[in-house]
Amino acid sequence: MTARRIDGKAAALAIRGRVAELVPAFEKRAGRAPGLATVLVGEDPASAVYVRSKNRATAETGMISFAHNLPDTTSEDELLQLVIELNADERVDGILVQLPLPAQINAARVIETIDPGKDVDGFHPMNAGRLATGLPSLVPCTPYGCLYLLKQELDSLSGLDAVVIGRSNIVGKPMAQLLLGESATVTIAHSRTRDLPSVARRADIVIAAVGRAEMVRGDWIKPGACVIDVGINRVPTSDGKGRLVGDVAFAEAAEVAAAITPVPGGVGPMTIAMLMRNTLVAAHRRAGLADPEGL
Ligand code: NAP
């Protein structure tokens, strides 16, 4: 391996530590701690693990966690009603509805019902539009975490060629907007892109957000490029437990790249750290305070 291994775990710990440092000052000025409400519908084991980690992280930073666990038979109206109540609850600064939702619930309708000022996932069309037009917004946690790692690694992204593989509203599209905001030259690739290996090979920055285990091979990477692997894929192992891999064939890509995120321990921990950051930022804005510094 020649590439530097980008340590998302360490960066995430630093951000969470900074949030924890800033919470008491907010509490002093606002007379209450910031609050994050999580909503989990159903019993998908992976979603339950994510939501538990988010609640734990919230408590560890000194913020208040309001956990709502609903059965998978919950109707769309019932969920919308809860969101409306959370919008009105003064103790709640951030609302996170864990996706995916059961089939009877239209996720877009739920996201549109969340107060944009409490939309700490940054998925509301108002926040997506503000990001696209360069206005202050709440930015989706995963791409914001990727940007943080990139900026730590590369002094400036200005003029660099960036290829984002994946165009979801959650990762690919906001990632592209953030890179554009840093003056990178951005290409968004997807399942219809022709000759993806050649497209990727011209990039100084490759962001893989596809959901296909080790799809991006070493010979897709330009020597010296910076590779951010968003993918989380479980592949079978002989002991039956399975193992997590990214969308990038790590060992191959690490021979060519200058820097690369591992899976696990790269982008994953940054998502929760940025959720903590967004909750603190949302709390400041709701209280009419300037955004906290150093985040
Ligand atoms: P998604 O909504 O399924 O989007 C996947 C994207 O990949 C789509 O735009 C799709 O293109 C594209 N794609 C699929 N097959 C492709 C191919 N063969 N070649 C090129 N592009 C292809 O997934 P997502 O929510 O963005 O998540 C992507 C990955 O990131 C998943 O592994 C997910 O688990 C992971 N993730 C990780 C975190 C984290 O915290 N680390 C957070 C969120 C997601 P089309 O649009 O043309 O179908």
Side-chain angles (χ1 to χ4, degrees), residues 50 141-143 165-172 188-193 196 208-212 215 220 229-233 245-247 266-272:
Y50 289 142
C141 303
T142 301
I165 314 178
R167 56 173 162 180
S168 71
N169 290 335
I170 292 173
V171 189
I188 308 178
H190 45 77
S191 65
R192 309 289 172 86
T193 298
L196 182 54
V210 183
R212 294 170 74 99
M215 183 187 86
W220 296 27
D229 190 351
V230 183
I232 302 177
N233 311 285
V245 299
D247 290 341
V267 173
M270 293 300 286
T271 299
I272 293 189

Side-chain angles (χ1 to χ4, degrees), residues 129-179:
R130 291 180 70 90
L131 175 63
T133 48
L135 293 169
S137 62
L138 287 166
V139 179
C141 303
T142 301
Y144 205 39
C146 295
L147 185 73
Y148 185 97
L149 295 177
L150 277 171
K151 285 170 82 169
Q152 233 183 20
E153 204 52 45
L154 306 162
D155 255 1
S156 161
L157 312 190
S158 178
L160 296 182
D161 273 318
V163 170
V164 181
I165 314 178
R167 56 173 162 180
S168 71
N169 290 335
I170 292 173
V171 189
K173 282 183 201 156
M175 187 73 245
Q177 293 293 355
L178 288 168
L179 290 163

